[in-house]
Structures are given as structure tokens and as C-alpha cells.
Amino acid sequence: MEECSPGGCLIEVCIQLGIIMLGKQLIQNNVFEIAIPKLKKMYRTYKEKRDGLADEEDKDSKREPQRWDLDYDLEPYEGLSPEYMEMVIQYGFVTLFVASFPLAPVFALLNNIIEIRLDAAKFVTEIRRPDAVSAKEIGIWYNILSGISKFAVITNAFVISFTSEFIPRMVYQYLYSETGTMHGYTNHTLAYFNTSNFKPGTAPHDTDFDRQLRICRYKDYRDPPWSPESYQLSKQYWSVLAARLAFVIFFQNLAMFLSMLVAWLIPDMPRSLKEQLKREKALLMDLLLTEEADKQCTQKSRKSGGGKRRVCKTRRGHKSERGKKVWMCLFLFGMCSSISLWDVMCVCLSW
């Protein structure tokens, strides 16, 4: 690749990610987790004293501060958006460029272990108690993380394919190598250039060493100067490019398939919990049907007198038993997926 070191561009991305994960995530953010709330608290206390908010003439000024007084002096709670944002940024760095810096997840884990304790100390000692609000899920942050995960698959596929020598080596070994090994790979990746083809004023100054030098080599896939299409992209270049694009498509589909397979094998809700919810729904519907039958029987008994009250109870009992059987059939059909539909119908008819 152009403008990259001989080792490729991965080493530069690796250095940058190492600085971000060690310097910014592990040191800077964790220091700010404790330092910023303390500084805000000190500034707020100083501002209140300067503006005369503390009433020195208060009769209760000499009493010991109560718990609510100490809590009021803490920093107001600003929500979880900064915490979510920090985790999303870290997740993006770890997943998008993990191919260039494989130790990024280890440093992220170490940072999160330290940050758990720092956040606990911050929420207990430096911030006012937040209001408890029920939430079903994390909201839009889940969609953001899901989008980053899908985009990370494509990014890592392109990083592996275009910034490393993995694909060119495979192409040379299986298409161009006579022995099926990597012998001659370096010579295969170097193109020829005739020094007489330099434009006027662009040639380097001659020395005693290179006055007789007429052919030099450089890293690229181009036709030699004696070819009819000199210095044009060679067939090897298009072969490597096609292999790289094919690897991107294969890697993307493979990663998506594995993620869907893992999501299918490990469901979000355990099967026991699903069974319990279905059982609760069945009992609730049975209770509603029973109450509705009681209301109808009560209304009929009031209109016709008390003689038919026992008949209504008997019919209600038959309806309740029939409803239980129907719901039990539906429950078995939903739970026992391995049993065929014919077997379930036979069980229901036998009831």
C-alpha cells in the first residue's frame, strides 16, 4: 500500500489504538471520573458561601448537619447519557479496529473493572441520589450498539484484506507459485522501472554507484517497461483486488451467519421463563372466563329467581372445565413443539 511502512498500515493503527486505550480510556477518563465531581463540589460550595446562601444567623446553624444537608451539598445527578456515551465510544474503538490491535479488548476489560469501582464511589459519595425510574431496556443505545457491530464486521474485513499481506500471499501461493510455497514472493511483488523514463527534471542525481544503473525495482503490480502496455496495472493486480473483495464478502457473510446462529442458540429469554409466562397467561384467561360466567349466571338467577341458581353453577362448572381443557390443549401445542399436531388433537378429543 502507498504511504505505508514496509510492514503495512496496521502498525500505525495499532499504535494509535494503544495510545487511545491506555492513555485516554484507562488513565484520563478514570481520573476525570473522580476529579471532576470533586472540583464541581468545591466550586459549588465556594459559590454558595460567596453569595451568602448560608445563613449564619440561623438558630440551627450550630447543629450537626443531617443526612439531607450532606446530600444537598453533593453534585446534582445529570443522568446516564455520559456513561452510555463513554461505553459506546469504547465499544466502537474495540470492535471497529480490533484486527489491527488484538489487545484492545483486554485493555477495555481492565478499564471497565476499574471504572465499575470508581462509578460506585462517585454515585455514593459525590452525586445526589438519583430518582428510581423503571425501564424495560436501554432504549436507543441498543440500536446504536447493534449498528456499530454490523459496521465493525465490514471495517475489519477491509482492514484485514487491504492493509495486510494476507490476501496477496495466498494469491501468490495458490495461483502463481510453481512450487506451492512462498519462495519468490518478494520478487513477484516488485515491478520494474527504467531510469531513462524519468521526466526531465525529476530524475535523481547520478553518483558513482548508480551511473550504470538503468533498471530499478519498486513495490507494485505493474507491467515492465519492455511490455507493450508499460507501467499499466498488471493482471496480478486485478487478481489480488478480486481476491480481496471476495474475502470481504465472504468474511461479512460468515460473521453475520455466526452472529445469527449464536443469537438463535442463546435466546434473550430462557425457555423456563417463557413457559412460566404462558402458564400465567392461561391462568389469567381462565380466571377472566370464570368471572364472566359468574356475572352471567348471577344476572340470570336474579331475573328468574333462586330456583335455577344451582343449574347456573353446574353449567358454569362445565364451562370452566371446558375452558380449562381448551387452554390446556393450546398450552400443550405451544410448549411441546416436538409433538405433532395430530397427537395434540387426539389428546384434546380424548378430553
Side-chain angles (χ1 to χ4, degrees), residues 14-15 54 84 96 164 188 196 235 297 323 329 336-337:
C14 179
I15 294 173
Y84 276 121
L96 291 175
S164 67
H188 176 76
S196 61
K235 295 180 180 180
C297 289
C329 290
C336 304
S337 59

Side-chain angles (χ1 to χ4, degrees), residues 73-92:
D73 294 336
L74 299 177
E75 187 67 21
Y77 176 68
E78 298 179 355
L80 292 176
S81 296
E83 303 295 334
Y84 276 121
M85 182 63 68
E86 183 180 354
M87 290 294 101
V88 168
I89 292 175
Q90 182 193 85
Y91 182 76

Side-chain angles (χ1 to χ4, degrees), residues 63-78:
R63 66 178 175 85
E64 295 182 359
Q66 300 296 321
R67 181 72 263 175
W68 54 82
D69 296 326
L70 299 176
D71 290 343
Y72 182 77
D73 294 336
L74 299 177
E75 187 67 21
Y77 176 68
E78 298 179 355

Side-chain angles (χ1 to χ4, degrees), residues 21-22 26 94 98 101-113:
M21 299 303 297
L22 289 175
L26 192 59
V94 170
V98 68
F101 188 50
L103 290 177
V106 177
F107 290 115
L109 177 62
L110 179 62
N111 172 75
N112 293 337
I113 292 174

Side-chain angles (χ1 to χ4, degrees), residues 36-49:
I36 290 181
K38 288 185 178 295
L39 292 176
K40 287 183 177 180
K41 180 181 178 182
M42 294 172 59
Y43 176 74
R44 188 166 174 268
T45 304
Y46 169 76
K47 186 178 180 180
E48 290 179 354
K49 291 182 179 180

Side-chain angles (χ1 to χ4, degrees), residues 276-341:
Q276 183 67 24
L277 292 176
K278 290 181 180 180
R279 191 178 297 109
E280 291 180 357
K281 288 181 180 180
L283 294 175
L284 180 60
M285 292 301 298
D286 189 14
L287 179 62
L288 293 176
L289 291 175
T290 304
E291 291 181 354
E292 186 66 22
D294 289 340
K295 290 181 181 179
Q296 293 179 1
C297 289
T298 303
Q299 293 176 358
K300 290 180 180 180
S301 62
R302 288 178 181 177
K303 292 180 181 180
S304 59
K308 296 183 179 180
R309 187 175 300 174
R310 185 179 300 175
V311 178
C312 291
K313 289 183 178 180
T314 305
R315 291 179 180 177
R316 182 188 64 188
H318 285 298
K319 291 182 179 180
S320 178
E321 292 297 329
R322 188 183 302 172
K324 288 182 180 179
K325 291 179 180 180
V326 171
W327 283 110
M328 186 62 68
C329 290
L330 295 176
F331 176 74
L332 288 175
F333 180 72
M335 296 297 300
C336 304
S337 59
S338 60
I339 302 177
S340 64
L341 180 61

Side-chain angles (χ1 to χ4, degrees), residues 217-230:
R217 308 292 298 273
Y218 63 98
K219 188 176 179 61
D220 203 353
Y221 292 100
R222 293 186 178 272
D223 293 329
W226 55 82
S227 176
E229 298 179 355
S230 58

